[in-house]
Amino acid sequence: MTCKVSFGWNRSLRANKEAIIAVSRAVAYGYNTREKILKVLPQFAPHRLVLAIDALVSSNMAQVNMGILSVHKDMTMVEVITKPTNTGFVIDMGIEELKKSSVMRQLYMEMGADNTAGVESLVYAQISEV
């Protein structure tokens, strides 16, 4: 049986996905303190930025150490696979097997993720038969 797997943002994070991506990119460019993030991202309200940072930290995709925010490199993969232009891929497995958490984590590892639990908490896999 062949299935198509495509990815989107987890439902609880969809409303704040732009802020999550903006924070992760800002940190990648060196804006890694509270003051720098607030200064470089004025288009977002401070509470949206706090929610974005909270989502990253709670999914273990970011950490704060002495006021410096660092984001896990797997956020690049999350950004790529959740783009609306990304149509997913076809895999030769059954739906029941693909819906298992261990199989999805193995797929994330095959795509290059180190923090599979973090990716899984941010990303929702949409699986359909082809």
Side-chain angles (χ1 to χ4, degrees):
M1 183 176 299
T2 305
C3 292
K4 180 180 177 183
V5 181
S6 57
F7 302 96
W9 284 92
N10 197 339
R11 284 194 177 122
S12 63
L13 302 172
R14 285 183 192 158
N16 209 24
K17 65 183 177 183
E18 292 88 5
I20 294 170
I21 292 171
V23 167
S24 67
R25 286 187 185 174
V27 171
Y29 286 113
Y31 301 99
N32 53 5
T33 63
R34 179 181 55 174
E35 295 80 19
K36 289 179 182 178
I37 290 173
L38 287 171
K39 186 175 182 179
V40 78
L41 299 173
Q43 67 270 33
F44 296 105
H47 74 276
R48 280 193 72 193
L49 293 174
V50 168
L51 289 173
I53 293 170
D54 181 56
L56 289 169
V57 170
S58 65
S59 66
N60 218 10
M61 291 299 252
Q63 65 181 17
V64 180
N65 189 8
M66 298 186 67
I68 305 295
L69 182 67
S70 59
V71 175
H72 201 280
K73 64 182 178 85
D74 287 347
M75 272 307 295
T76 306
M77 186 188 80
V78 169
E79 288 181 42
V80 170
I81 66 174
T82 57
K83 281 186 180 178
T85 56
N86 190 349
T87 58
F89 57 89
V90 176
I91 189 166
D92 193 27
M93 282 184 158
I95 287 181
E96 294 80 21
E97 188 175 356
L98 274 173
K99 287 189 177 182
K100 292 179 183 175
S101 180
S102 60
V103 174
M104 287 308 299
R105 286 188 179 165
Q106 183 65 34
L107 279 175
Y108 294 138
M109 283 194 306
E110 292 293 326
M111 288 191 281
D114 293 327
N115 182 5
T116 57
V119 173
E120 199 170 34
S121 67
L122 296 176
V123 172
Y124 173 73
Q126 301 164 340
I127 304 166
S128 60
E129 283 185 306
V130 178

